[in-house]
Amino acid sequence: MGRLGERVRAWTKGAAGCAPSGTGLLVAVLSGVMVLGLGLVAFDRLVQPGNGAADGSKLYDYVYATGKSENVDFVANNMSADGLLCFGSSEWYISKDRVSMCPQAVFGESGAGVDMTYIGEGYDQSLWQAIAAGAYGTGNAIKNRKVVLMVSPQWFFKGSGDENKFYTKFSYSLYRACMQSDQLSDKTKAYIRSRCSALGIEDDKLAAASRDTPADAVNDAVFAATDSWRLRSEIDNIARLAPTKSEARRQLEATGQASGPDWDALMASAEAEGEASCTNNDFGVYDAFWEKNHTFDPELYQNFDQAADEYADLACFLQVCHEVGLDPLVCILPVHGQWYDVSDVSQADRQAYYERIRQICTAAGASYADFSGFEYEKYFLCDTVHPGWKGWVRVEHAVYDFAKGLKGNDDCITWGDEAQ
C-alpha cells in the first residue's frame, strides 16, 4: 500500500496519451484514493478501540507494552495529571516483582503527586527519543512540559550501541508527527531525516511523512492509516496490562492530598531487599540474573569514544525539546563499576563518557541528574545494566525534586540555569 504514490505516477504517465486531460485524470485518481482512505479511516474507527480516555481505575503511565509509546493520542488522554513524560528504554521493564522500589510502586501506587509516564522500549536510543519528543512536544496535548530522559551507557558503545536495530524500532506515527510539526526548525528536521535514512528507513516513508510531492501526500495518508490501525489494535492489551490504582491512591485522589515519599525509609528498604535478592554473587545483582548471565559479557573491551552519531543524536534530542518547549532532566546512569573493571573498560574511558554527556547537557542549557558517582554503590543496579533497589530510589528522588522544582534538595541535580 505504501507504493500507492508511485502507482499513481505510473497510471498518470501511462494514461497521458489517451486521456483528454492528464490533470483531470490525476484529480480523478487522487479523489478516488482519498475516498477510499476516508472509508478505511471510518471502518477503522468502527472496529478498533478509540484513543480517548480509558478505564479511569487504572494507571496507564506504568505500562511497558508494544504500541503504547507510539500512540501519542492514547498516552496524552490517559496519563496521570501529575505525570511527566519519561523517555527511556528497557529500564521500564523492571517491575515491582523484581524491585519493589520501582516507579510504579513508589509513585503510582502511593499517590505521591508525581508520576513517571513511561515512553520507550528496549533498543530505543537517542534518535528514537528525539523523534518521540518532537511528536509529543508539538501542540498542547501534553500539559506538563517537564520531561525526563534516562540515558543508558550502552547506547554509546562502539558503533553507537545498537543503532543498527533502529529500523526495527522505527515508528511511522511518531516520525510523521515529528516531521509535520510546525514548531521544529527545517535544520532539525533535516538532521533527523538524514539520520533515519542512514539507518535504513525507506525513502518512500521519509518522503511521505514530509509530503514532498502530492503523490507522497497520498502515500502519507496510507501509511498513517495503516499505522493507526496497528496501534489501536494494541490498546486492549495495554489496558489489560495497566495496573489497577491502589486503595491508597484512590483515597488520596479523592481528597486532593499527596505526600512525598519518605526517602530515608525507602533507602533502608532498598538496602535490605537488595541484600536478600543477591545471595550467590559479590556483584550485587539478583540471583537469577547471575545464574543465567555471569559468563555473558557484552561489555568486554568496550569503549565510549566510537559513538559520534549517538552523541550527536543526544544533542538533537535536547534541541528538539528546546524547539517544542519541553524542559528536560537528563538522568546520567552509572555503569556497574565492579563489572566494568573485570570487563577491562577503563576508568578513564568511563569518566570521559560521563563528562561528554554533561558537556552536551551544559551546551543545551539542560538540567541533568548525575549518578556517575554511584558506580560502586552496591544495589544501585539490579543487574549489570538496569537501575535496581537503591538506584530507583535515587532516580525517583531526583525526578520528584525536578517535578516540584525543589532546588537544593537533591545534590545529584545540576539545574538548567546552572548549566548555562
Side-chain angles (χ1 to χ4, degrees), residues 403-417:
K404 299 296 187 180
L406 300 176
K407 294 189 177 185
N409 282 24
D410 192 316
D411 293 337
C412 291
I413 299 180
T414 296
W415 297 83
D417 52 5

Side-chain angles (χ1 to χ4, degrees), residues 233-301:
S233 71
E234 302 285 355
I235 290 176
D236 285 342
N237 183 56
I238 294 168
R240 180 181 63 82
L241 293 174
T244 300
K245 291 179 181 178
S246 66
E247 180 61 30
R249 168 94 183 213
R250 290 196 298 270
Q251 290 180 356
L252 287 168
E253 287 181 341
T255 62
Q257 297 176 347
S259 57
D262 183 337
W263 301 115
D264 291 338
L266 281 170
M267 190 59 74
S269 297
E271 174 78 27
E273 186 173 315
E275 184 177 0
S277 301
C278 309
T279 63
N280 62 359
N281 65 91
D282 295 324
F283 287 82
V285 301
Y286 68 88
D287 290 347
F289 179 89
W290 181 258
E291 290 173 4
K292 183 179 180 180
N293 298 296
H294 70 275
T295 61
F296 178 61
D297 192 358
E299 294 81 15
L300 188 64
Y301 305 132

